[in-house]
């Protein structure tokens, strides 16, 4: 698939903040994607050689039956340190390498990380979506920012995730008796649609099938 990269990769936090502030204005949190959706994709990361080598995995699945259509791995030297709030600068370069080699262009990409549920509203899902001009959804395993009310232990229940008076996502129960996930719009997807697609991509487990397949590849399991 075609990759569009409008900025150089920074080497410092200060440079990264400038890029985040510039790109956040390009994020769209309304539904703008082709329907019916035919392909959904997941991306995830692993690291080798004490973190000096990034290993990015992408998995493309058919939708709605969630059958694996294509997978790919890409490796490159890690060029940015692990700093919460700046993970996209550490992970996206290798993710783009992996995406460049796949043939079916996904209609929606589900990212193992945040969308707009981020201090500067540009987590990895939003950052990737803007760079690719493709709809993305953030599905994080842990809370980065925001507060929410208590969540009922029923599949599909959710509560708004609030930060500084703004709804930036949702805490969503995808399976009874397990921890929830943190869903937020990445790019060209509304919150309600993001919740819907995350639930439709999690028929059995806590995490979307897209993430599960990509994680196995990235972790070399």
């Amino acid at each position: 698939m075609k990759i569009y990269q409008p900025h150089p990769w920074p080497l410092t936090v200060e440079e990264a903040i400038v890029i985040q502030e510039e790109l956040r204005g390009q994020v769209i949190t309304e539904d703008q994607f082709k329907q019916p959706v035919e392909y959904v994709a997941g991306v995830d990361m692993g690291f080798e050689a004490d973190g000096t080598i990034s290993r990015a995995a992408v998995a493309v699945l058919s939708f709605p039956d969630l059958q694996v259509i294509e997978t790919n791995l890409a490796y490159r030297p890690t060029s940015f340190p692990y700093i919460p709030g700046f993970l996209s600068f550490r992970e996206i370069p290798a993710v783009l390498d992996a995406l460049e080699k796949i043939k079916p262009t996904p209609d929606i990409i589900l990212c193992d990380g945040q969308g707009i549920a981020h201090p500067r509203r540009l987590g990895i899902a939003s950052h990737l979506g803007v760079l690719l001009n493709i709809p993305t959804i953030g599905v994080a395993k842990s809370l980065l920012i925001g507060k929410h009310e208590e969540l009922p232990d029923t599949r599909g229940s959710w509560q708004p995730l609030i930060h500084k008076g703004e709804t930036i996502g949702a805490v969503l129960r995808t399976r009874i008796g397990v921890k929830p996930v943190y869903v937020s719009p990445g790019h060209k997807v509304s919150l309600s649609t993001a919740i819907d697609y995350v639930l439709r991509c999690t028929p059995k487990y806590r995490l979307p099938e897209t993430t599960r397949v990509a994680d196995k590849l990235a972790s070399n399991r």
Side-chain angles (χ1 to χ4, degrees):
M1 62 179 290
K2 185 177 180 180
I3 303 298
Y4 173 61
Q5 185 175 320
H7 67 73
W9 293 106
L11 298 177
T12 68
V13 167
E14 292 75 18
E15 293 171 347
I17 290 174
V18 170
I19 292 172
Q20 288 178 336
E21 294 292 351
E22 289 178 351
L23 294 185
R24 65 183 292 179
Q26 299 179 36
V27 174
I28 298 170
T29 55
E30 298 176 352
D31 293 333
Q32 293 187 12
F33 57 89
K34 177 182 74 68
Q35 298 193 47
V37 169
E38 296 182 80
Y39 300 110
V40 291
V43 296
D44 206 349
M45 290 293 300
F47 294 90
E48 300 179 358
D50 294 325
T52 61
I53 301 296
S54 299
R55 183 176 64 247
V58 57
V60 181
L61 280 62
S62 58
F63 186 87
D65 56 338
L66 302 176
Q67 298 300 304
V68 178
I69 301 299
E70 185 176 352
T71 62
N72 191 48
L73 281 169
Y75 300 79
R76 70 151 58 194
T78 305
S79 59
F80 200 86
Y82 176 86
I83 304 174
F86 299 93
L87 297 187
S88 63
F89 298 99
R90 179 177 173 86
E91 298 182 358
I92 286 182
V95 167
L96 292 178
D97 291 344
L99 285 167
E100 191 171 20
K101 300 176 184 178
I102 64 171
K103 292 182 180 179
T105 298
D107 299 301
I108 299 176
I109 299 175
L110 284 75
C111 298
D112 181 25
Q114 312 291 345
I116 64 168
H118 179 275
R120 285 166 295 283
R121 305 299 185 256
L122 197 86
I124 187 170
S126 296
H127 196 161
L128 185 64
V130 169
L131 293 184
L132 296 173
N133 195 31
I134 286 180
T136 54
I137 298 171
V139 191
K141 295 186 287 289
S142 59
L143 180 68
L144 179 62
I145 59 169
K147 296 182 179 180
H148 60 84
E149 298 295 329
E150 185 175 350
L151 189 65
D153 191 20
T154 56
R155 172 176 160 80
S157 63
W158 65 277
Q159 289 288 345
L161 185 61
I162 309 296
H163 181 248
K164 295 183 177 180
E166 178 185 359
T167 298
I168 58 172
V171 52
L172 172 67
R173 185 84 66 190
T174 55
R175 187 181 180 193
I176 296 172
V178 300
K179 294 180 180 179
V181 294
Y182 299 87
V183 177
S184 56
H187 185 53
K188 292 190 170 183
V189 178
S190 66
L191 178 57
S192 61
T193 296
I195 292 170
D196 177 49
Y197 275 91
V198 170
L199 284 172
R200 293 169 73 180
C201 289
T202 53
K204 296 181 180 180
Y205 302 99
R206 178 194 180 204
L207 297 177
E209 289 302 298
T210 47
T211 300
R212 284 167 42 79
V213 176
D215 174 70
K216 288 180 180 179
L217 289 168
S219 303
N220 197 27
R221 293 201 298 266

